[in-house]
Amino acid sequence: MNRGKDINIASKCILNGDIVVFPTETVYGIGANCFNIEAVNKIFKAKNRPNDNPLIVHISDFNMLNKVACDINYLEQKLIDKFMPGPISVILNKTDDIPLCVTGNLPTVAVRMPSSDIARKFIAMCDTPIAAPSANVSTKPSGTSIDEIYEELNNNVAYFLEDEKCDIGIESTVVKVIDNTIHILRPGYITCEDLKCITDNVVYDNKTIISPGMKYKHYSPNTKCILVTDDYISKINNLDNNIKIAVMVEEKNIDKLIKKDNMYIINLGFSYSDIAKNLFKYLRDLDNLDIDVCYIQELKNEGIGVALMNRIIKACEYNSI
Ligand code: TXA
Ligand code: MG
């Protein structure tokens, strides 16, 4: 069996040039020794990931930082001091040692130190930084437990290092300092307000040139999803009765729905943290239900809601009513 809790086996696979799925506090990663080009290429193949979409390099401690990044400026250092270890990836100038296949040919590298103990122990035991994107086939929602992703990745992965379901459930906030301003390239669990503890100069930035990953289809189940905005409860209550639908709504809204035979209700949860923890699993589960369309209520675009809406809008492939 190539899954279990053995960090020893997992790190031996990495040193062997193979790839390993491992837990972090955000989502599971699919990792390789970042200095081994052949191993890194196995990640792109396993995920069917476009080569210009760069990987995040994961470190276990601050001693590993200078193996991957250089010329760190004042604001970047403040981000590192305040938020690492934690669910943030900071784009920094890469060292010459980091192969260009890791960074999609960019001169920069995304660096992340997970707060998950198991993740850091695993990386420390490998004694090398680990290049790892989220563990999922490209276009699918990221995996938050091994069960969600085992089948789709099993053929190409040497070992699945198993832990509980990920605490946070959505990916890290990706940030880059440009001209003394923090640019949020991908919203995540660390919010704009959190980042403002460091400087008031924080902006959302979804220019695809800076973060190549943002231009690709992502988080999409096979089932068609549609975002329902504004007066979403009455829109859902007035939907066509002829097709089998699922609706994803916050717990507080369930009682307001008019229940119908052809409607499958998915309770997103109470707090936005609950929603983050379960969203990707709920999206994946849709493909096992016998439904034609899933309608997802909009969330408030503030705090972690910004990151959740970013994922939901993509899951819906920009369709909304
Ligand atoms: O929480 C996470 O970040 C998870 C866990 C496993 O650490 N990883 C993750 O990786 O979500 P991935 O590959 O699915 O997303 C990485 C994002 C992509 O949007 C990519 O384009 C961006 O980070 N990125 C990576 N390196 C970059 C760089 N040098 N410049 C700009 N964007 C970069
Ligand atoms: Mg991903």
Side-chain angles (χ1 to χ4, degrees):
M1 189 67 168
N2 62 345
R3 79 190 256 186
K5 299 196 165 189
D6 197 327
I7 295 182
N8 250 310
I9 299 180
S11 62
K12 278 193 184 125
C13 291
I14 293 289
L15 298 179
N16 234 354
D18 284 321
I19 58 178
V20 166
V21 166
F22 66 99
T24 82
E25 72 279 18
T26 57
V27 297
Y28 276 76
I30 177 168
N33 174 354
C34 74
F35 300 121
N36 181 334
I37 294 176
E38 243 175 76
V40 168
N41 283 332
K42 288 182 188 172
I43 297 177
F44 284 93
K45 179 170 167 262
K47 282 191 58 122
N48 194 19
R49 182 178 175 105
N51 285 318
D52 68 348
N53 193 359
L55 310 181
I56 295 172
V57 174
H58 296 69
I59 57 176
S60 55
D61 58 68
F62 292 109
N63 292 329
M64 267 192 193
L65 185 58
N66 56 11
K67 292 188 182 171
V68 298
C70 56
D71 305 327
I72 294 172
N73 67 31
Y74 175 73
L75 202 47
E76 291 164 345
Q77 190 61 50
K78 274 184 111 170
L79 284 166
I80 292 166
D81 293 343
K82 171 90 182 151
F83 296 108
M84 287 192 191
I88 195 164
S89 299
V90 183
I91 311 290
L92 300 167
N93 289 314
K94 79 172 197 67
T95 56
D96 289 342
D97 293 341
I98 297 284
L100 284 166
C101 64
V102 170
T103 65
N105 278 323
L106 294 169
T108 53
V109 61
V111 182
R112 168 154 142 71
M113 190 192 297
S115 59
S116 151
D117 285 343
I118 298 187
R120 285 206 318 281
K121 275 187 196 146
F122 159 65
I123 301 163
M125 193 167 277
C126 295
D127 199 23
T128 176
I130 299 291
S134 52
N136 55 279
V137 166
S138 281
T139 78
K140 295 285 156 228
S142 307
T144 58
S145 72
I146 298 281
D147 285 338
E148 292 163 41
I149 47 182
Y150 186 76
E151 263 171 48
E152 73 186 37
L153 295 173
N154 184 23
N155 284 342
N156 295 297
V157 168
Y159 190 70
F160 291 79
L161 181 61
E162 193 152 15
D163 192 19
E164 309 292 301
K165 189 170 167 53
C166 300
D167 264 347
I168 292 179
I170 54 167
E171 306 86 345
S172 63
T173 309
V174 178
V175 295
K176 184 175 185 184
V177 175
I178 304 170
D179 294 337
N180 243 8
T181 297
I182 299 174
H183 289 240
I184 302 175
L185 306 189
R186 178 177 69 184
Y189 197 76
I190 290 180
T191 63
C192 183
E193 296 73 41
D194 296 334
L195 293 165
K196 283 194 170 162
C197 299
I198 291 186
T199 169
D200 279 337
N201 302 334
V202 184
V203 294
Y204 287 106
D205 186 338
N206 46 22
K207 283 192 216 111
T208 53
I209 345 147
I210 303 178
S211 193
M214 302 311 277
K215 70 177 180 241
Y216 291 110
K217 179 173 159 177
H218 210 170
Y219 313 117
S220 314
N222 296 326
T223 306
K224 185 179 171 71
C225 293
I226 298 177
L227 176 70
V228 193
T229 61
D230 302 324
D231 196 4
Y232 48 82
I233 295 292
S234 50
K235 282 186 188 165
I236 291 172
N237 283 336
N238 288 320
L239 283 168
D240 178 359
N241 278 321
N242 296 324
I243 55 170
K244 287 175 277 181
I245 63 169
V247 296
M248 280 191 199
V249 292
E250 284 175 85
E251 182 158 325
K252 65 174 189 194
N253 290 324
I254 293 207
D255 287 345
K256 301 177 198 156
L257 293 174
I258 301 171
K259 314 287 183 299
K260 297 175 192 162
D261 288 344
N262 65 344
M263 185 164 89
Y264 191 96
I265 298 174
I266 296 160
N267 179 352
L268 276 173
F270 188 70
S271 68
Y272 278 22
S273 305
D274 290 344
I275 298 176
K277 191 158 181 173
N278 295 310
L279 180 66
F280 289 152
K281 165 122 179 35
Y282 291 153
L283 288 172
R284 278 179 175 270
D285 284 349
L286 290 177
D287 291 343
N288 303 322
L289 300 175
D290 177 28
I291 53 157
D292 300 309
V293 186
C294 174
Y295 292 91
I296 309 178
Q297 74 152 86
E298 77 174 338
L299 300 172
K300 283 204 194 97
N301 216 16
E302 60 189 43
I304 328 168
V306 179
L308 294 171
M309 281 301 287
N310 169 275
R311 304 328 188 251
I312 290 171
I313 287 169
K314 289 184 183 189
C316 294
E317 297 180 36
Y318 301 91
N319 291 306
S320 67
I321 54 170

